Amino acid sequence: MRVDRFLSNLPRFNRQQVRLLLVGRRVRIDGQTITDPHAPVREFSRVEVDGDVLQAGRPARYFMLHKPPGCVSATRDPQHRTVLDLLDEPDKDDLHIAGRLDFNTTGLMLITNDGSWSRRLTQPQTKLPKVYYVETEQPLTAEYAPTFAKGLYFGFEDLTTQPAQLTLLGPKSARLSIVEGRYHQVKRMFGHFNNKVLRLHRESMGPLVLDSDLEPGCYRALGPEEICLV
Ligand code: URA
């Protein structure tokens, strides 16, 4: 059903009020602000007006997964195993990944059906640090940290990356904290120095840290106290 019909069918709003609610950007469907009166409301859509929930939608679900190497961060893939294949859960079509990882990157992957939660985690504006353990082919030098802290120009997107913190751990290993998730961002940052990333592992996203005892390929549901941290 169209959102304008859905709202004007409720006793509390007439058509004129519904128009004003939409123009005033006060209506959200599944966490996204809606201004289009034709936007669809489905059986399991969550509908909010000024933060009041008018239709609850599906119960929200949140999982932490330890992504193994050789696995695609997609909901479907014709060739390879996907991270969703690792989940033994019903209604997997409803779930999405908050912040993809490359095929051979390992570590923390968050999976949910709550779009506004995953947007908060991944939007650069939220500035939530994503922390990676990195191993490189060539030795790391003192130039890397100040260059990453200043930001690197990415020609394809025509943007400069936000300041990133690099901590050297060994001659060819480091911990890198970034607040964005641009396409192949970490590999491109080290690529600036013609240095290939040989191992990449995400340790944390904002306040959520991969459990040290969660084996690669395993997952668990997040608790309410973890969900509300984001
Ligand atoms: N940056 C990359 O280059 N790859 C990843 O998988 C994650 C961040």
Side-chain angles (χ1 to χ4, degrees):
M1 187 191 298
R2 292 165 44 149
V3 67
D4 58 349
R5 294 233 176 88
F6 172 88
L7 292 172
S8 52
N9 281 349
L10 301 172
R12 62 166 109 170
F13 304 123
N14 62 35
R15 282 175 181 220
Q16 168 67 1
Q17 286 169 320
V18 168
R19 245 194 311 275
L20 291 173
L21 289 174
L22 288 164
V23 171
R25 308 179 61 80
R26 295 163 61 191
V27 181
R28 295 204 303 172
I29 299 182
D30 293 331
Q32 266 191 308
T33 302
I34 298 296
T35 53
D36 178 6
H38 297 91
V41 173
R42 303 204 165 82
E43 189 185 353
F44 289 113
S45 305
R46 179 182 176 86
V47 183
E48 293 163 82
V49 170
D50 294 336
D52 286 352
V53 179
L54 305 184
Q55 176 172 291
R58 275 189 214 276
R61 295 184 290 165
Y62 308 84
F63 303 100
M64 162 189 291
L65 169 87
H66 186 162
K67 181 189 174 297
C71 168
V72 185
S73 276
T75 44
R76 255 167 238 202
D77 189 274
Q79 256 186 316
H80 298 107
R81 181 168 68 142
T82 73
V83 287
L84 281 195
D85 292 334
L86 300 169
L87 262 57
D88 183 17
E89 296 293 327
D91 301 321
K92 288 201 278 188
D93 283 350
D94 193 31
L95 298 170
H96 63 268
I97 297 156
R100 291 163 186 265
L101 292 175
D102 295 337
F103 190 64
N104 279 324
T105 303
T106 58
L108 177 63
M109 177 134 269
L110 296 168
I111 298 170
T112 182
N113 60 348
D114 181 344
S116 50
W117 188 80
S118 59
R119 269 191 297 283
R120 280 202 298 284
L121 261 172
T122 53
Q123 272 173 346
Q125 299 91 295
T126 324
K127 293 199 192 293
L128 275 186
K130 285 90 190 168
V131 178
Y132 292 87
Y133 170 77
V134 189
E135 285 178 7
T136 56
E137 193 170 59
Q138 309 298 329
L140 300 164
T141 64
E143 293 166 84
Y144 282 65
T147 306
F148 290 173
K150 231 167 61 191
L152 280 169
Y153 179 68
F154 279 4
F156 184 72
E157 296 93 337
D158 187 24
L159 57 81
T160 300
T161 55
Q162 301 214 22
Q165 275 78 51
L166 185 78
T167 310
L168 297 182
L169 300 174
K172 297 183 189 174
S173 62
R175 183 162 285 121
L176 177 68
S177 173
I178 58 176
V179 294
E180 302 151 289
R182 307 281 170 205
Y183 182 64
H184 293 326
Q185 176 160 347
V186 176
K187 291 177 185 161
R188 288 162 79 194
M189 288 172 73
F190 285 88
H192 171 82
F193 294 100
N194 290 320
N195 200 350
K196 192 168 169 192
V197 170
L198 298 181
R199 179 153 184 244
L200 187 55
H201 176 84
R202 184 158 63 199
E203 297 178 335
S204 61
M205 294 178 79
L208 299 171
V209 182
L210 182 66
D211 292 353
S212 55
D213 56 357
L214 197 60
E215 296 294 324
C218 295
Y219 74 98
R220 69 164 175 90
L222 294 179
E225 69 294 348
E226 295 176 296
I227 296 156
C228 69
L229 290 173
V230 174

